[in-house]
Amino acid sequence: MKNNQSAAAGKKLKFFGLPKLKPFLSTYKLMFLAMTASVVLVGVFNTILPLFQQYAFDNFIANGTTEGLVPFILLYIACLLLTMALDFVASFDCCKLEMYVLRDMRRTAFNHLQTLSVSYFNINSVGRIHARVMSDTSSISSIISWDVYQGGYNVVYVLSAIVIMLILDPVLALCVIVVVPLVAIVSCYFQRRLTVLNRRVREINSEITGGFNEGITGVATSKTLAIERKQDKKFFSSTERMRREGTRLGHNRALFYTIIAFASSVALALVLWYGGALTMQNVIKLGTLTVFMTYAQGIMSPVQWSVDAIADLITVKVNVERLTALLETKSDVADTPEVIEKYGDTFNPKKENWETLEGDIEFKDVTFKYPDGDEYVLEHFNLKVPRGTNVAIVGETGAGKSTLVNLVCRFFEPTEGAVLIDGRDARERSVGWLHSHIGYVLQTPHLFSGTVRENLLYGREDATDEQLMEACKSVNADKIIARLDNGLDSQVGEGGNNLSTGEKQLLSFARAILADPAIFVLDEATSSIDTLTERLIQDAIEKLMRGRTSFVIAHRLSTIRSADVILVVHEGKIVERGRHEELLAKRGYYYNLYIKQFREEKLKSI
């Protein structure tokens, strides 16, 4: 698979012009414009409010009169209320914009992940994917909402304040303006330092979180190996580094804010010094001086915030690139436009055009290697599997037994050749159509959070309780439900953790049976079940697979003696094929594997 993420990471970023982000922004264009307009007006009104103070000093206090005070107060209150209303609208729109964009990005990313092939998840860790869908989207949505809100307000406030000061007194305005570039330079310097220190703290925090998680989940292993002291030293080292870096971060942040406060005080002192002299000389009035004092104190924080916003935009570039790379990743297994037109896609299937799957499968001159592999696993492989054939695949752990199943299920595409389903190339019909006709029971069973009933209904949405219980009974899973407090309505927990591995496996069998598939795939599906339970459901499985094409990746060779054909895999290659008796007669790899396992099972029984 092409590494689209690396390619995307090298592209020049145009934050608001990235194609994959445009839909998220353009959908809420009016909301964004309303927020921006409200923010601009809030900034303008907040710079106008000190002028009311000027008017009060110059016309009421200085003249010792209250004439016209009531209209003035009413106008001032109206201005305040309007500012508050606009600020509420801007904040509310900002919050909505953040939540809507966050929802859309996460939904799009999650849906896109479901369309990607198995190979993507083989080479990308869960943590990496989780960071794309959760952390990156959160950072982006915050930037395009709250940072735009805060940045827009600060820019408008600073520019409006500078314009008003220049109009009132250009020379006195310079006493305030001269400090602004110095604040900007100091902010840029500290922002770089704070960004580096923040990154270190986050990395160490991730290390501490991982260590804490390992310490809890692996507590039994730690005790059996008697390595508690070693684990404690390792964890202490991480927390000590966290203390050091966190303290450095706190020192730099405290120094930064102290300098900003000092700069504000310097600006105020300059205004008081020079403006006071002008007031004493009656060059300006006292009200004008109060306006400059207000701006001198209020203008520094917006400058600092503006620098922070720029730094955030630079930082979020990485988040945007990583999310975009995910959304631009193409699946190795994808339907053609013609197939989608007829059969629909994953989320919009056109089931009225879906044909019945009979179950005839043929590997026609198939050559295959995994996208992240260097060696060919299959070369010019041919195999016909008529409808109703039971194919068993055996081999040692890690031998590559799942390859054929992966190709049948279209988790991967052949490098060369074709897999035919009912005489037609599998690529001529949709992935959704094929998967809807396959019942797959994994070696490691997985149940979704929810009730037993909800998990079973994934196999067949319209199944009645009677049908659910009948499916459970066929594989002995009805006894599990009988033991649960709430029966079918019992919660299985996250990943089915409220149940044992064997219980989850039996419910997985029942779920697959409910789907009534034409093709059954059992991927070492009985390896998590004890021998007694395995014997109880073996007959049921054989009955259910009659007339259906089935692929059984076998853990215990004794369970596949009756298979129509056994494929023996060694080091990723199919080295033997035939029926059980034929392979034993050859006295080859299968024979040695069978004898070895037979002896091991006999020793265990002693």
Side-chain angles (χ1 to χ4, degrees), residues 310-555:
I310 293 171
D312 287 342
L313 284 172
I314 294 171
T315 302
V316 85
K317 170 183 176 180
V318 177
N319 303 111
V320 175
E321 288 177 341
R322 293 193 306 194
L323 178 64
T324 304
L326 167 61
L327 297 178
E328 290 180 345
T329 300
K330 303 297 183 183
S331 176
D332 292 324
V333 180
D335 294 326
T336 63
E338 294 77 17
V339 170
I340 294 174
E341 177 66 27
K342 180 176 180 181
Y343 296 97
D345 58 23
T346 303
F347 303 104
N348 300 286
K350 297 179 180 178
K351 294 187 177 181
E352 65 275 11
N353 296 332
W354 286 9
E355 301 95 340
T356 302
L357 193 152
E358 299 297 333
D360 290 312
I361 299 171
E362 180 181 356
F363 292 84
K364 192 172 183 179
D365 198 31
V366 170
T367 297
F368 174 74
K369 69 175 178 180
Y370 285 100
D372 55 339
D374 297 323
E375 296 184 2
Y376 286 103
V377 179
L378 297 175
E379 291 185 81
H380 305 292
F381 177 72
N382 292 278
L383 176 68
K384 288 187 177 182
V385 183
R387 173 186 177 183
T389 301
N390 175 218
V391 179
I393 306 170
V394 302
E396 295 179 337
T397 301
K401 299 188 291 295
S402 299
T403 300
L404 287 181
V405 168
N406 287 335
L407 291 171
V408 170
C409 297
R410 277 194 77 189
F411 293 152
F412 296 91
E413 302 281 31
T415 307
E416 296 177 16
V419 177
L420 307 184
I421 307 292
D422 294 342
R424 292 174 58 185
D425 192 325
R427 290 167 288 201
E428 294 180 10
R429 288 180 282 200
S430 70
V431 173
W433 167 83
L434 178 60
H435 289 175
S436 69
H437 290 92
I438 295 177
Y440 204 128
V441 182
L442 297 165
Q443 178 183 6
T444 304
H446 179 81
L447 299 180
F448 296 95
S449 298
T451 64
V452 173
R453 176 185 282 104
E454 289 169 343
N455 272 276
L456 292 174
L457 288 175
Y458 282 119
R460 180 181 170 187
E461 293 180 357
D462 60 348
T464 64
D465 283 2
E466 290 75 17
Q467 290 170 325
L468 295 181
M469 292 305 300
E470 184 63 31
C472 291
K473 188 176 181 180
S474 66
V475 292
N476 245 36
D478 57 321
K479 295 179 181 178
I480 299 171
I481 297 171
R483 288 197 300 267
L484 298 174
D485 293 337
N486 298 313
L488 289 170
D489 293 314
S490 300
Q491 293 288 329
V492 300
E494 184 179 355
N497 288 335
N498 291 348
L499 304 174
S500 69
T501 303
E503 289 172 334
K504 288 190 288 185
Q505 191 66 285
L506 291 177
L507 290 175
S508 297
F509 269 110
R511 183 172 59 191
I513 289 165
L514 276 166
D516 192 26
I519 301 173
F520 251 118
V521 176
L522 306 181
D523 188 351
E524 300 197 41
T526 58
S527 62
S528 301
I529 300 172
D530 60 85
T531 306
L532 179 61
T533 306
E534 182 183 39
R535 289 172 182 171
L536 289 173
I537 68 170
Q538 195 65 43
D539 290 340
I541 292 175
E542 289 182 4
K543 291 177 183 177
L544 290 166
M545 290 194 302
R546 287 175 188 167
R548 307 175 198 266
T549 306
S550 58
F551 292 83
V552 179
I553 299 176
H555 175 70

Side-chain angles (χ1 to χ4, degrees), residues 141-198:
S141 62
S142 177
I143 286 291
I144 64 179
S145 54
W146 292 107
D147 277 53
V148 170
Y149 169 89
Q150 191 67 49
Y153 170 81
N154 291 332
V155 169
V156 171
Y157 182 88
V158 171
L159 292 178
S160 299
I162 290 173
V163 169
I164 292 173
M165 287 190 293
L166 289 172
I167 292 173
L168 292 175
D169 191 291
V171 178
L172 187 57
L174 290 176
C175 292
V176 179
I177 297 172
V178 72
V179 182
V180 172
L182 298 176
V183 172
I185 292 171
V186 170
S187 297
C188 288
Y189 171 76
F190 274 96
Q191 189 58 52
R192 284 196 295 269
R193 288 182 62 83
L194 291 174
T195 299
V196 171
L197 290 171
N198 260 313

Side-chain angles (χ1 to χ4, degrees), residues 54 58 167-172 274-289 292:
Q54 176 195 29
D58 294 345
I167 292 173
L168 292 175
D169 191 291
V171 178
L172 187 57
Y274 185 68
L278 294 178
T279 304
M280 295 293 290
Q281 297 168 13
N282 291 322
V283 176
I284 62 172
K285 295 182 179 181
L286 183 61
T288 302
L289 179 61
F292 276 89

